[in-house]
Amino acid sequence: GDSVTQMEGPVTLSEEAFLTINCTYTATGYPSLFWYVQYPGEGLQLLLKATKADDKGSNKGFEATYRKETTSFHLEKGSVQVSDSAVYFCALSAYQGGSEKLVFGKGTKLTVNP
Amino acid sequence: DVKVTQSSRYLVKRTGEKVFLECVQDMDHENMFWYRQDPGLGLRLIYFSYDVKMKEKGDIPEGYSVSREKKERFSLILESASTNQTSMYLCASSSTGGSRNEQFFGPGTRLTVL
């Protein structure tokens, strides 16, 4: 079935460091791809998305490009801030019995130190 | 702004009790979802609903049931709570049209079963 694999955490960086969180997927067809973020004590919120190959999603300085040839959607940010400390989830859209749902990776916890 | 609310942030129940978790969304979304979130396992889909009185099993439905009598409300029911159901429960909703894949999440209910 469809699945998402993302790099295990936790990841600890200093402020202004470069961030990469790897995400690869297995899917039939051409899913949409997403990054969600969960700040401490909160639910998930959509960070960015891409709906077709070579699309680049971006938001709040984060970027990810839909790479069909490598089945990847890696999250990057050039200069992280303490406020970026959160858990990041990669996800894809998938069909189950004719209905659409999201399949999530296990999450990567990021801590940014001042 | 889309708002998804959950009835409790924290809940403590005893083994064998019947537990109701309530979720309400205010954006007239057709689709609603229940997930549980556990460390190292990410989000796993329990049940979802694409219409009033309609439900579909997710990946881990055993031990749970759901009810959707009104469009804005989706309830998760633990018929006889067990300790292995101690977890964070997240509700989400999404629209069928437009950005149909984007799900909006509530803040979560942390359930402890003693």
Side-chain angles (χ1 to χ4, degrees):
Chain A
D2 296 345
S3 65
V4 173
T5 303
Q6 61 182 102
M7 65 186 283
E8 304 245 342
V11 174
T12 303
L13 296 174
S14 298
E15 208 164 20
E16 299 184 3
F18 184 85
L19 169 71
T20 299
I21 301 178
N22 291 336
C23 172
T24 58
Y25 66 91
T26 302
T28 53
Y30 303 99
S32 295
L33 301 174
F34 306 83
W35 277 101
Y36 279 80
V37 59
Q38 184 180 34
Y39 297 104
E42 298 182 13
L44 277 70
Q45 53 186 275
L46 180 67
L47 180 60
L48 53 85
K49 69 176 184 180
T51 57
K52 61 183 187 297
D54 299 325
D55 266 3
K56 178 186 281 188
S58 62
N59 186 25
K60 300 182 180 179
F62 292 88
E63 293 183 341
T65 301
Y66 190 142
R67 301 284 187 203
K68 182 163 161 276
E69 63 276 12
T70 54
T71 61
S72 65
F73 193 54
H74 304 320
L75 182 69
E76 296 182 337
K77 186 174 186 182
S79 176
V80 293
Q81 305 300 313
V82 172
S83 57
D84 294 326
S85 297
V87 181
Y88 293 82
F89 292 91
C90 186
L92 62 79
S93 59
Y95 280 89
Q96 173 181 312
S99 301
E100 197 167 23
K101 64 173 189 175
L102 291 179
V103 175
F104 287 87
K106 293 183 179 181
T108 303
K109 183 176 182 180
L110 170 67
T111 301
V112 180
N113 295 318
Chain B
D1 275 355
V2 173
K3 195 162 183 182
V4 179
T5 56
Q6 296 183 227
S7 49
S8 306
R9 293 299 300 268
Y10 300 93
L11 208 53
V12 179
K13 296 292 182 181
R14 298 214 173 268
T15 302
E17 281 193 78
K18 190 169 186 176
V19 181
F20 292 86
L21 302 182
E22 305 285 341
C23 175
V24 177
Q25 51 92 5
D26 67 359
M27 282 301 291
D28 203 35
H29 283 171
E30 295 83 4
N31 314 313
M32 297 189 75
F33 307 81
W34 274 108
Y35 298 87
R36 63 177 285 176
Q37 181 181 9
D38 299 288
L41 297 177
L43 273 73
R44 293 179 292 167
L45 182 63
I46 304 171
Y47 268 97
F48 56 103
S49 168
Y50 284 89
D51 201 352
V52 175
K53 297 192 186 293
M54 177 271 181
K55 61 185 178 185
E56 286 201 33
K57 293 180 180 179
D59 300 315
I60 51 163
E62 295 79 18
Y64 303 94
S65 62
V66 291
S67 172
R68 192 163 181 205
E69 297 295 319
K70 294 185 178 181
K71 190 176 184 180
E72 67 270 18
R73 186 180 297 270
F74 192 36
S75 302
L76 180 69
I77 303 156
L78 287 66
E79 295 289 342
S80 177
S82 63
T83 54
N84 63 13
Q85 292 178 310
T86 291
S87 186
M88 170 71 87
Y89 290 87
L90 293 168
C91 175
S93 71
S94 71
S95 173
T96 297
S99 299
R100 59 180 293 171
N101 303 125
E102 180 177 351
Q103 293 185 15
F104 296 85
F105 284 80
T109 295
R110 185 166 294 282
L111 172 67
T112 301
V113 181
L114 302 175

